Amino acid sequence: MKTNVEMNKKVKETLDSIESIKEVEVSPFFKEKVMHQIRNASEDLQEATWSWFTPKVQLATLVCVVVLNVIAFNNLQKMTYNESVSSFAESYGLSTDTENSILY
């Protein structure tokens, strides 16, 4: 029972200390100022994020993509169907060698 008395005393002291806390006075435009600062910070971040992607870099990227696509398309046109199937079969071990077969 002694622990209950001590616990009740601590709870009462805690509740009494709440009464001594003063109300905080906040500026009526505090929220507006904070939201304005957040918006400005996010706009600065967005500008910094996309500032490197200038039209020159966009054009260079577009040229690289087009050149790579042209090279890939030309290589695709050069290969025949049989060559591509045989290279696929060899790379995955699906081809059979008829020259080395014992039963043939």
Side-chain angles (χ1 to χ4, degrees):
M1 288 303 238
K2 190 174 183 183
T3 57
N4 273 344
V5 173
E6 290 176 8
M7 184 59 78
N8 288 337
K9 184 179 177 183
K10 288 182 181 180
V11 169
K12 186 174 182 338
E13 288 175 358
T14 304
L15 292 175
D16 289 341
S17 68
I18 291 174
E19 293 175 0
S20 65
I21 296 175
K22 296 180 182 177
E23 184 179 345
V24 177
E25 296 179 15
V26 180
S27 169
F29 299 106
F30 177 74
K31 181 181 175 184
E32 294 291 328
K33 290 177 185 176
V34 170
M35 294 302 290
H36 183 67
Q37 289 176 353
I38 290 172
R39 270 190 234 109
N40 285 344
S42 65
E43 288 174 1
D44 293 343
L45 181 63
Q46 287 177 352
E47 289 175 7
T49 304
W50 293 105
S51 65
W52 64 272
F53 205 56
T54 61
K56 290 180 182 179
V57 175
Q58 291 175 3
L59 182 62
T61 305
L62 179 65
V63 168
C64 289
V65 168
V66 168
V67 167
L68 286 174
N69 282 331
V70 167
I71 291 171
F73 185 74
N74 285 338
N75 286 340
L76 184 65
Q77 292 294 329
K78 290 179 184 176
M79 292 185 70
T80 62
Y81 177 76
N82 290 335
E83 289 175 357
S84 61
V85 169
S86 63
S87 68
F88 174 80
E90 287 176 10
S91 63
Y92 286 100
L94 301 173
S95 64
T96 57
D97 292 332
T98 56
E99 299 171 2
N100 297 333
S101 177
I102 297 173
L103 301 175
Y104 187 74

